[in-house]
Amino acid sequence: MKEKPLRLHKYIEEVRRINLGSRKTYQIRTFGCQMNENDSEKIAGVLEEMGYLAASDNEIPDFILFNTCCVRENAEQKVFGHLGVLKKQKEKKESLIIALCGCMMQQAGTLDKIKKSYRHADIVYGTNKSHLLPQYLYTLLTTGQKQYFAEPVDQEIIEGQPVKRESSIKAYVPIMYGCNNFCSYCVVPLVRGRERSRKKDDIINEINSLVAEGTKEVTLLGQNVNSYDSDGDFTELLYLIDRQCDIKRIRFMTSHPKDISSRLIQAIHDIDKVCNHLHLPLQSGSTKVLSEMNRKYDKDRYLAIISEAKQMVPEIGLSTDIIVGFPGETDDDFEDTLDVLEKCEFDFAYTFLYSKRRGTPAASRKDQITKEVKGERFEKLLEKQNSITLKKNLSFVGSTVKVLVEGASKTDKEILTGRDEANKIINFKGSPDLIGEIVNVKITSAKTWHLEGETNENI
Ligand code: SF4
C-alpha cells in the first residue's frame, strides 16, 4: 500500500501552473456502482487540485471524463452513445479534452474500438489508475500525444488521494477492492483484479477525518465486504470502527451469501451505529442456476441466512439483487426465484435482465434465453416485488423511525427527505435546520417507493 508518490505531486503542480490565470472547468459522468461513484469523487478531488472547477450545466467544459462500467450491456452502450455525441462538442470547442476510464476500458477489445471509431477521445485508462491522471493530462497538454493505456489491473492501493465528496452528510469508504469469486456471468474479477484490503488504520483515519468534517453516515464498500482481511476480518473491523470512530451510522455493501457469518449478523444486532439493513444478493432462487452461476450457496442456505437475520434482528431491512434469464433458466427455476421472494419478503430488490458479458463462461453458453421470455419473467418479478415492497411499507404506518435528513425535496423546499436505518426513503415536512440531523419521524402514509411522515422531535 503506497502513499501518493512524490512525482505525482509534481504533475499536479505542473498542470495547475499551466491552468493558472485561466478558468478551466470539468465534468464527470459516472456509470455503474458505488465503487465508481467513489472513484469519481477522487478524480474530482485531483482535478480541483489541478485548478479545474466544476462546470455549470450550460457550458462545454474544458475536460470531460466518463467513468465507465461494463457490468451490464446497456451501461456500455450508453458510453459509446454519449461518446458519439461528444464529437460534435469537440467540433465546437477544439480544446475540449475527452477522457475515459474505469471497468469498460479494462476489457479486451475496447481500446481497439476507441482507436478505430472514437479518435476524438484523448485519454483512456482502466481501473485503479486515476492517481496517474495528472501525469496523463500533463503529457497530453505538453506534447499533444494521446494517452491510451489498457494495462493489466494494478493491484496496489494508493492512499492519500484528494476526494471531492458529493455529500457532506454521507460518504462512501472503500475497505477493499477487487473480487476472487468469478461468478460465471460477471466481469468484475477480470476488470478490477483480485481482492485486496485496505489497512484498518487507513480506514479508521478516513472515517475520523469525515467525522471531523461533519459526516454522519459512512457506507463501507467492497465487491465482497465479508472477505475483508487485514489483520482481522470484516466483523472485527465493524467493532473497531464502533470503538474508535464517533460516526453516527455505518452501512456496508456488498455481502456475499457464501461468506456471511452469524458473527456478522450478531454485530448488526450489537452495534447501535450499524444500521439494521442487510443487502444480500440472491441472483437466483434456483439451486441449479446458483450452481451454474458459481455462487457457492443454494436456495436453502440463502433462506436459512435470511431467517437467522430476521430472528436476531427482527426490525432488519432486507434488500437484494436478482438476475432474470440466466442461460438455461427454466420456468421452474424462475418459480424458485419467486418463491424466495415471497419467503424472504425483501423491502427492496434490484432486478436485472441477464446480459452476455465478454470473457465470462455464461456468455458462451448455447442455451441463452430469448428476449421475450426474459421480458415476461422480468415483468412478473417486478410486479411481485412491488406488491411485497408496498405491503411492507404499509406495515410501517403509525410507527416511528429514525431518519437521517439528507436535504430538501427538489420539487418542494418545505419537504425534507432522508432515509431510515432500513434504507427506506422518508419524506416529511420540516425546517431546513434539520438537514444533517437524525430525527424521529412518525409514518403517516406509504407508497411503493417512499414513505411519508411527520416530525416534531430531534433525537
Ligand atoms: S461476487 Fe460475483 S457478482 Fe459479485 S463482483 Fe464478484 S464475481 Fe461479480
Side-chain angles (χ1 to χ4, degrees):
M1 325 283 164
K2 291 205 309 194
E3 290 298 320
K4 187 167 49 173
L6 264 180
R7 65 189 180 91
L8 289 174
H9 284 294
K10 184 188 105 183
Y11 288 113
I12 290 174
E13 282 310 315
E14 288 298 329
V15 177
R16 189 209 288 274
R17 196 179 49 75
I18 293 170
N19 285 340
L20 210 65
S22 57
R23 181 181 175 277
K24 296 284 184 190
T25 58
Y26 74 93
Q27 187 187 80
I28 298 174
R29 296 189 203 163
T30 309
F31 299 82
C33 65
Q34 291 85 357
M35 199 59 98
N36 265 15
E37 284 176 36
N38 182 253
D39 285 345
S40 290
E41 290 182 334
K42 287 181 187 153
I43 296 165
V46 128
L47 284 168
E48 297 206 356
E49 279 210 355
M50 290 189 288
Y52 287 89
L53 304 166
S56 63
D57 290 343
N58 48 14
E59 66 182 330
I60 301 177
D62 297 282
F63 179 91
I64 290 185
L65 178 133
F66 287 172
N67 189 1
T68 65
C69 167
C70 59
V71 169
R72 289 176 220 296
E73 195 179 12
N74 57 359
E76 207 171 317
Q77 284 164 350
K78 261 192 212 163
V79 169
F80 282 123
H82 288 302
L83 196 52
V85 173
L86 279 191
K87 195 168 184 186
K88 294 243 168 337
Q89 301 220 2
K90 195 148 179 159
E91 280 162 14
K92 282 190 202 153
K93 184 172 182 173
E94 216 184 309
S95 61
L96 168 65
I97 294 171
I98 299 170
L100 294 145
C101 70
C103 301
M104 201 175 136
M105 303 304 121
Q106 208 74 56
Q107 269 200 311
T110 303
L111 187 56
D112 290 340
K113 187 168 174 177
I114 290 169
K115 280 181 181 165
K116 195 165 162 234
S117 311
Y118 300 91
R119 287 292 296 175
H120 53 292
D122 301 291
I123 299 175
V124 177
Y125 61 91
T127 53
N128 207 27
K129 285 275 194 288
S130 285
H131 59 289
L132 296 177
L133 178 60
Q135 183 178 337
Y136 301 151
L137 196 50
Y138 173 77
T139 313
L140 174 77
L141 289 169
T142 52
T143 67
Q145 298 282 315
K146 297 216 181 265
Q147 300 293 295
Y148 289 172
F149 299 94
E151 293 165 345
V153 183
D154 201 334
Q155 290 291 114
E156 262 177 5
I157 295 179
I158 307 289
E159 295 291 349
Q161 295 182 71
V163 190
K164 162 96 186 308
R165 305 272 179 187
E166 283 290 314
S167 161
S168 58
I169 298 165
K170 310 195 300 181
Y172 293 126
V173 176
I175 60 164
M176 60 179 299
Y177 302 92
C179 183
N180 293 350
N181 289 322
F182 291 92
C183 299
S184 65
Y185 52 84
C186 182
V187 284
V188 168
L190 309 179
V191 296
R192 285 203 174 259
R194 297 294 77 74
E195 287 172 359
R196 59 253 183 227
S197 299
R198 286 179 75 192
K199 285 181 187 164
K200 283 177 180 166
D201 285 352
D202 290 328
I203 296 167
I204 297 287
N205 290 341
E206 182 173 349
I207 296 175
N208 280 334
S209 307
L210 286 163
V211 171
E213 288 162 16
T215 300
K216 300 287 166 47
E217 178 182 299
V218 289
T219 301
L220 309 176
L221 286 184
Q223 257 79 34
N224 178 9
V225 289
N226 311 125
S227 294
Y228 177 84
D229 181 17
S230 175
D231 194 20
D233 66 10
F234 180 59
T235 306
E236 287 167 47
L237 177 69
L238 285 179
Y239 283 105
L240 190 73
I241 296 171
D242 179 43
R243 285 196 303 276
Q244 298 197 357
C245 304
D246 193 18
I247 190 82
K248 298 281 181 226
R249 279 183 170 185
I250 304 166
R251 296 187 189 277
F252 57 86
M253 67 188 308
T254 295
S255 296
H256 194 303
K258 86 173 165 52
D259 297 316
I260 203 157
S261 63
S262 300
R263 285 172 57 241
L264 176 60
I265 299 171
Q266 186 69 47
I268 300 174
H269 172 270
D270 290 350
I271 306 173
D272 280 349
K273 292 171 190 168
V274 174
C275 288
N276 293 325
H277 176 224
L278 180 63
H279 180 74
L280 195 65
L282 166 67
Q283 307 305 12
S284 170
S286 154
T287 292
K288 182 202 94 194
V289 173
L290 286 170
S291 161
E292 290 171 3
M293 286 176 161
N294 194 29
R295 293 288 291 173
K296 300 194 173 72
Y297 55 90
D298 59 15
K299 180 181 176 183
D300 288 345
R301 171 66 189 136
Y302 188 92
L303 289 172
I305 299 166
I306 296 295
S307 151
E308 186 182 8
K310 283 181 176 175
Q311 220 172 356
M312 283 169 86
V313 190
E315 63 280 25
I316 199 157
L318 295 167
S319 56
T320 195
D321 298 332
I322 295 171
I323 297 172
V324 177
F326 183 79
E329 183 190 70
T330 62
D331 286 342
D332 284 350
D333 294 324
F334 179 63
E335 285 302 321
D336 272 335
T337 300
L338 296 180
D339 185 45
V340 176
L341 231 60
E342 263 172 32
K343 291 193 165 111
C344 294
E345 294 204 307
F346 299 108
D347 293 82
F348 190 76
Y350 298 89
T351 49
F352 305 97
L353 286 170
Y354 169 78
S355 67
K356 283 185 186 180
R357 302 287 66 214
R358 269 199 313 281
T360 61
S364 56
R365 283 182 58 159
K366 300 280 173 271
D367 49 355
Q368 300 290 328
I369 304 298
T370 64
K371 210 171 148 193
E372 290 69 31
V373 172
K374 274 197 257 186
E376 276 167 29
R377 289 181 187 162
F378 187 81
E379 287 306 316
K380 217 167 162 183
L381 186 80
L382 219 57
E383 202 181 310
K384 180 164 283 288
Q385 181 54 44
N386 286 352
S387 71
I388 294 170
T389 300
L390 182 60
K391 183 178 134 201
K392 288 204 81 176
N393 284 352
L394 284 167
S395 74
F396 278 79
V397 175
S399 66
T400 297
V401 294
K402 288 179 177 148
V403 176
L404 173 59
V405 188
E406 294 173 15
S409 148
K410 286 196 180 90
T411 48
D412 184 347
K413 292 276 167 285
E414 286 189 8
I415 301 293
L416 298 177
T417 185
R419 287 179 189 259
D420 70 351
E421 284 203 32
N423 217 20
K424 290 179 188 292
I425 297 171
I426 319 279
N427 296 336
F428 61 99
K429 217 173 198 176
S431 151
D433 294 346
L434 296 178
I435 295 171
E437 302 295 328
I438 296 177
V439 297
N440 277 325
V441 177
K442 185 169 181 198
I443 303 302
T444 52
S445 69
K447 309 272 189 296
T448 308
W449 305 117
H450 73 275
L451 298 160
E452 288 169 6
E454 52 193 29
T455 189
N456 48 24
E457 196 193 336
N458 220 356
I459 293 170

